[in-house]
Amino acid sequence: MTWLLLTLLTVWLCVAIAPARSTFSLTQPVSWDTVLTADTSFMEQGKALYDAGRFADAVIPLSQAAETYRVQNDPLRQAIALSNLALAYQQLGKWQEAKAAIAESLRLLEGGKLGENLTIQTLTTPLVQALRVDNNNQKLSILAQALTIQGDLQLETGQVELAISTWQQAESIYKRLHNTDGIAQNQINQAQALRVLGYYRRALTMLTDLHQRLQNQPDSITKVIQLRSLGNTLRLVGDLDQSRLVLQQGLATVKKLSPQDTSPELSETLLSLGNTARAQRDIQAAVTFYQDAINLASTGISKVQAQINLFSLLIDTEKQSTAQALLPDIQAQLTTLPASQASVYAYIHLGQVWLQRVIANTAQQTTPENVELRSSFSVSSVAQLLATAVQQARSLGDRQAEAYALGSLGNVYEHTGQWREAQTLTQQALNLAQEMNTPGVAYRWHWQLGRLLKQQQRIPEAIVAYDTAVNELRSLRSDLVAINQDVQFSFRESVEPIYRESVELLVQAPENQAIAQNLDKARQRIEALQLAELDNFFREACLDARTVLLDQVVDQDNPTTAVVYPILLSNQLEVIVKIPQQPLHHHTIQLPKQQIESVLHQLQQNLTELDATDKIQTLSQQVYHWLIEPIEPDLNRQQVHTLVFVLDNALRSIPMAGLYDGKQYLVEKYAVALSLGLQLLPPKALSTKRLNVLAAGLIEPPLKFRQQFPSLPEIKSEFELIAKAGISTHQLLDQAFTSQTLESQVGSAGFNVVHLATHGQFSSQAKDTFILAADGPINVTQLDALLRRRNQSQSAAIELLVLSACQTAEGDNRATLGLAGVAVKAGAHSTLASLWHIDDRSTALLMGEFYHELVNSKVTKAEALRRAQLTLLKQYPNYSHTGFWAAYVLVGNWL
């Protein structure tokens, strides 16, 4: 009977461990048909209340159970009761109580030697070894489950690395027990922690390996949860099609199982499918998935979460009336929920979405329909929701949730112009966030405080607040996945504005402040934004290599180079310039952002039109007037020959070499390069090295891509001209150019230049960024991994990556992230690529001239490109149009 009771209690503990971030539960449903003794009745009550979401009520019988077992001197069952008590405290956001309960549980399991300061070292020897000697699999199983709970608490309280170590130890115990479910659970939890740290690829690899191991296992809830976690991770890394496919597999799997106890997993899987469909902009499918999730939700909180996601989607797609109809039911459902961490975040999430709609309605013109909508979407209603969230968070003692709720309520007061009240609430949120040392929470409220101080004309204090927000963001380096997923916003909503608003403050600061210091800080902000965008693009921290200051390169190593930082702000174009041996200075173009973007968009649209030369020159002269004309006297005085641009936003799609002063193009006066700014690898001149080129080309695209991309018959001529320049070249042409042969050649030989003559596209989405090989597209992440493997096996990095027939996605201002990012992240010093696809004959001529100048004239890469472009402009009348020669840009090291 004792063994049976322990088994039943362990099964509940096993089912109950459901880390909030991984939404994991194990496969065995609890059966309570067996007659229970009075000793376990408290546990039964606790389980019933926990399953009903009444976590505060569940604490009472679970505490009584733990005390009963203590009096009975039954440490094993006392440990189980304490572990389940920790789960209930966790759901309430009572972290200290939860940690104390699980620490006591672990102490009992070891016999008094193991406490809260658990480390993997203490676990690997005395406790586990002792239990193995006893051959007590029951104790080992209970220990592994307790460790799993502790790992979840560590993750929730920001001890991410420690959580991973704890779950690894639990996993090792489950391996000894040959417990497939336990192994899978802890690997899923580790993958979630890796996502929190920003290691999306490592998380994806772990889940993919687990998926392969579980494929031949019988269908189970474990498999469903693994598929859902894998599908959610694929969505995070931008592989939306594969995410949807995997989640559909999970849906099909859960439908094969017995209906008993599968409805929560069915509902969760449908909710994930809705999120992926929404990311794909498949709105109707997303609505259907959300509605199905709502109908199948087994608990009130699951239903409310799905309803709020649907409400948010309807708001985003301007279906206000339909969204309005959902509100009464959502509000009614919320009022019936017992207080819990999940219910607090549901209030916050709904309040934030609702506030967005209020702000949008305020900006719209008054119509009878809008008047009715405004009565429903009112500021006071939002404030009431968030005030309830504050009250519930305080009653639970959940300071992190309280910080979110207070800050969000402060945002409501900000919207109504009540600056002092908003500042008080925001400061309260900040105090809580700082006490908990949670930068993922604090950065948002520092940003909000900065906005409020700016509104009160307290500019120096506002700058300090923005500085702190940016520093918090830098400490994250994880695309903000550490932020509670229920209150996350997109990169462009929650990250990019902080950098831009900070720059705007810095350049507008009072004249009595240190101008040079502010300008230096402003350009660092825009460079940090580019780095954050790259992290966001690849879904992991990109640049960990040693970097150098551009100023050092300009002042010491290359004193004929100037660096130009054009920064597009809401009501102005700010241009910061670094000229050799001079302090930073700037000039301002006072124009609305929309007007500047309109000129840039028109220029971009006309650049490839052969009959639009006059229009191109007129528009490019306007941009020249903004960027170059005010600084040209200084450039001449310092004898500057090379301009390096750190471009921002829509300017990235404009070839700087093609700017026109009314008589000449910029390329006729200066060599031009692009940079990510301070994130520059140590500069080395390529002209001092012998070039060894790996040239891979594809004349005919794969069959399924032939309607999208034309053939490139001039690739052979291009390769011949490269060889004619006197360069050692190894060719992979057509069927010889596959992803496998490219990887093999890059990794096995000492090539310092990789030249890829094939179609490709660069987008702001990693999934849409690729090059074509004979066996199909090589995605940017695959290319990145391929190049990085070479750097691990070869002592010398790739000096130059040439992409001679690729193009950036039309109308995508961030598309050059893919172009620059893959080379920089993989350690290539420079990339030469095109902003749009151009005639392959002119490409062959330009590439031949580029390599000829690089080898025979011993000039920098930027100067070699300039001379090649001038050759087409001046010596080939058929290719003198900007559409032929201006497309090519050099990104990275220009030396």
Side-chain angles (χ1 to χ4, degrees), residues 438-455:
T438 52
V441 182
Y443 94 93
R444 181 178 290 277
W445 311 133
H446 281 296
W447 174 26
Q448 187 162 292
L449 180 61
R451 297 196 306 268
L452 294 167
L453 291 167
K454 179 185 176 184
Q455 288 292 342

Side-chain angles (χ1 to χ4, degrees), residues 778-847:
I778 301 176
N779 184 268
V780 66
T781 52
Q782 295 173 271
L783 184 61
D784 161 53
L786 182 153
L787 295 175
R788 272 194 292 172
R789 279 194 289 272
R790 171 245 165 73
N791 288 342
Q792 291 165 1
S793 61
Q794 299 284 329
S795 59
I798 295 171
E799 295 288 342
L800 177 63
L801 175 66
V802 181
L803 302 162
S804 77
C806 297
Q807 61 188 346
T808 55
E810 186 175 350
D812 189 339
N813 290 337
R814 297 174 70 205
T816 49
L817 286 175
L819 187 158
V822 64
V824 173
K825 185 169 179 284
H829 288 176
S830 312
T831 305
L832 177 60
S834 55
L835 295 175
W836 58 83
H837 176 62
I838 55 179
D839 175 86
D840 60 328
R841 179 57 185 165
S842 64
T843 295
L845 291 170
L846 185 142
M847 287 298 164

